Structures are given as C-alpha cells and as structure tokens.
Amino acid sequence: MTSAQLRIAVLVPCYNEEAAVATVIADFRRAVPSAEIYVYDNNSRDRTAAVAREAGAIVRTERRQGKGHVVRRMFADVEADVYVLVDGDATYDAPSAPRMIDRLLDDHLDMVVGLRVDQVQAAYRLGHRTGNRMLTGFLSSTFGHAFKDILSGYRVFSRRFVKSFPVLSDGFEIETELAVYALELSLPVAEIETPYYARPEGSFSKLNTWRDGFRILGTMLKLYRSERPLRFFTVIGILLALASVILAIPIVITFIETGLVPRLPTAVLSMGLMIMALLSASSGLVLDTVTRGRREMKMLAYLSQPSLKRDGG
C-alpha cells in the first residue's frame, strides 16, 4: 500500500478558532492532498464551524467541553489508516505532516510526535516551556525516557493505536495520556522536529499555565498510581512505617529502662501506622497483579487491529 492509497484523516479539535481554522485547513490540504480533514467544534462561541465548513472541511460537533472528549469522539467516529492530530490554532507546521507520515510507515511506528521548535519567542511562552520540561522529566523518570515534548498537540497515529487507545481524560491532559499509553505498552514511537509558530492575530490561547499544569500533573500522578501501583503504594507504606518507627523508638527505650509504657496513645498511634503501612504494601501487590491483567487486555486490543505497511514493507 502506497501513501497515495492510504486513507489519511486530519483531525482538528477546535474551540473558538475562527481566526485560524481556515488557514489550518488550507495548509493541510496543500501538504496532504489525499487526506480528509475533519474539524470537530467544541461549543465555540464564534464562527469556527461555519468558517471550517466554508473552507471545505468535514465539520462535526462534540458538546461535552474539553479536548479529551473531542479526541475520544474523533478516534471513535473517524475511519482511516493514518490519523494526523493537530490543533486548530495554526501554530503547527503543515508541511511537516508528509515527513511524519513517511516516518510512521517506513519504520512501522504507531505514533510520531511533532517536537516543537519555536520560530519566534512569542510562540512558546516561558511558563509553558518550563512546565513542559518538568512534566516531561517526571514522565521520563516514571515510565521511561522516550519523549522530549509530551505536550505537543501535533501527532500522527496508526489505526492500530487509535482504535485500541482508551481515552479517559477530559481536557488538555490527553497528550499526557497518549504518551503514557505508548510507554506502558512499549509501542514503537518517534519524535520529529517541527517548526512551531505564534498564533495569528485574533487567535487566543485557551491554556492557563498553572491551572492546566496542575491538572496535567494530577493526571500523571493518577496514571502512576494506576499503572505502577506496587511502587506507588510501597512508597506510601515506607513513609508510614518510618513514621511508626520514629514514634515507637522513645516508647521502646522507656520500656527497656523502666518496664513501663507511659505514652499509651502514642504507642497505639505507632501500631496503627505500622498496620496501615502493611496494608498499603499489600494493596500494592494486589493492584499490581490487576494492572498486569489490564495491560494484557490493552495489548490484546492493540494486536487485534491489523498492522499498516507500505508495499514491500
């Protein structure tokens, strides 16, 4: 199967992108002429849907607010062999799409991430850049080093990835969830440097550095708890056990010296903390077994989808 024979879908989630969406559609039509372009409007209060329709895109609507909801709907509804996911703000480089698609096909990958290289200082705010580095570092130390830009909104996927990915996030945490899913199943992925531009005049970012940063960090902690439960609950158990031992040392010393336990409430608290520590470690062991079973089910869902190869690949 050649690139021209592939069904390629460009997926553009949009919220109040009237100023930029027509540019995005025109740029991707030039870059990937064979692709069908889908714009999913997420309760925009401007003319985003009308402008996208006039520009020739297939326009659909997702009423539940949040990028995660939109991506879930797009992945479920759209049928294609290769999916290009890009924001509707005209900050990503459409001419990079063919390179990303070729890399996906040539190396038999499941996801190619557009590693953003800002072309002007205003394109990528310092707060967002710093937060991205911190979150990327946390993800790398937790799930393994594979990405330099986990929050990029520019990605190319295989059908196998899209149709097996269980979208759970509601908002901008979706990028983190995509990265964790790929790392969790050890899927073949890659990053390609792509230019990143400032928004056009009249287009405004919906991101809030602190609010969305904390939401993304919270999502990562939840994913860490669900995907690495043994480590998560063992750490909690160790902290509780240390607190129990610290409280118990003076009581034990006093008991050895006098044969008395004068601080009974402290002794009870120490014992309770140690019991909680053992329960936490036990919970981690049980949940680790459950997680392994869930991971096997995800892998089976992934393998149930046919792989995509070029002719002679």
Side-chain angles (χ1 to χ4, degrees):
M1 183 180 294
T2 64
S3 297
Q5 296 172 319
L6 292 173
R7 295 176 300 167
I8 301 175
V10 177
L11 308 179
V12 189
C14 283
Y15 174 61
N16 292 339
E17 296 293 359
E18 176 185 354
V21 67
T23 300
V24 173
I25 294 168
D27 289 348
F28 275 90
R29 179 166 289 115
R30 286 192 296 269
V32 193
S34 62
E36 289 188 323
I37 301 176
Y38 295 83
V39 171
Y40 274 68
D41 180 58
N42 193 207
N43 302 316
S44 296
R45 294 188 296 271
D46 58 11
R47 296 184 64 254
T48 295
V51 171
R53 194 173 289 110
E54 292 167 2
I58 300 170
V59 179
R60 295 176 180 173
T61 302
E62 171 53 51
R63 295 299 180 189
R64 290 172 295 178
Q65 194 67 41
K67 187 176 180 179
H69 290 304
V70 181
V71 172
R72 182 185 300 113
R73 182 71 177 273
M74 291 190 297
F75 281 8
D77 289 355
V78 178
E79 297 295 328
D81 298 311
V82 174
Y83 297 80
V84 180
L85 178 65
V86 64
D87 293 340
D89 54 11
T91 57
Y92 293 100
D93 183 58
S96 297
R99 288 194 299 119
M100 296 170 70
I101 294 171
D102 287 342
R103 180 70 180 274
L104 185 89
L105 298 173
D106 292 340
D107 293 350
H108 309 301
L109 304 177
D110 284 307
M111 179 170 68
V112 176
V113 179
L115 175 60
R116 292 173 287 183
V117 179
D118 48 307
Q119 302 303 294
V120 293
Q121 189 66 29
Y124 201 2
R125 286 183 288 176
L126 179 61
H128 290 168
R129 184 185 293 110
T130 302
N132 191 15
R133 288 175 180 171
M134 293 174 62
L135 294 171
T136 299
F138 178 81
L139 184 73
S140 298
S141 63
T142 303
F143 295 97
H145 181 75
F147 300 103
K148 296 179 181 178
D149 186 3
I150 65 168
L151 300 183
S152 173
Y154 194 12
R155 298 165 188 255
V156 174
F157 305 97
S158 67
R159 176 183 175 84
R160 174 179 269 187
F161 186 107
V162 165
K163 294 304 181 181
S164 65
F165 174 60
V167 184
L168 302 176
S169 299
D170 298 335
F172 286 101
E173 316 93 278
I174 182 65
E175 281 90 2
T176 304
E177 191 179 355
L178 288 164
V180 170
Y181 177 75
L183 294 174
E184 177 193 9
L185 298 185
S186 300
L187 303 183
V189 298
E191 282 183 311
I192 288 182
E193 290 189 352
T194 61
Y196 187 64
Y197 303 101
R199 282 173 168 268
E201 186 177 352
S203 177
F204 302 96
S205 175
K206 289 79 182 175
L207 290 173
N208 180 285
T209 302
W210 292 104
R211 181 196 64 202
D212 291 311
F214 281 122
R215 287 185 64 183
I216 292 167
L217 182 58
T219 298
M220 295 179 71
L221 290 174
K222 290 177 183 177
L223 290 168
Y224 184 73
R225 182 191 62 193
S226 62
E227 304 302 336
R228 299 289 188 272
L230 184 57
R231 296 182 190 175
F232 183 84
F233 287 101
T234 297
V235 169
I236 294 176
I238 290 173
L239 294 175
L240 291 171
L242 286 174
S244 174
V245 170
I246 291 171
L247 290 173
I249 287 175
I251 298 173
V252 172
I253 292 174
T254 302
F255 178 76
I256 292 173
E257 292 175 347
T258 66
L260 300 174
V261 183
R263 288 176 289 180
L264 184 60
T266 304
V268 172
L269 176 60
S270 175
M271 182 178 64
L273 289 173
M274 186 59 70
I275 291 173
M276 291 174 63
L278 293 174
L279 287 174
S280 180
S282 300
S283 298
L285 287 170
V286 173
L287 291 174
D288 185 63
T289 302
V290 174
T291 299
R292 287 177 181 272
R294 289 174 50 244
R295 191 173 299 128
E296 290 175 1
M297 294 300 294
K298 290 180 182 179
M299 180 57 74
L300 288 174
Y302 165 79
L303 293 174
S304 68
Q305 299 294 329
S307 62
L308 182 63
K309 298 180 180 180
R310 287 190 188 275
D311 288 340

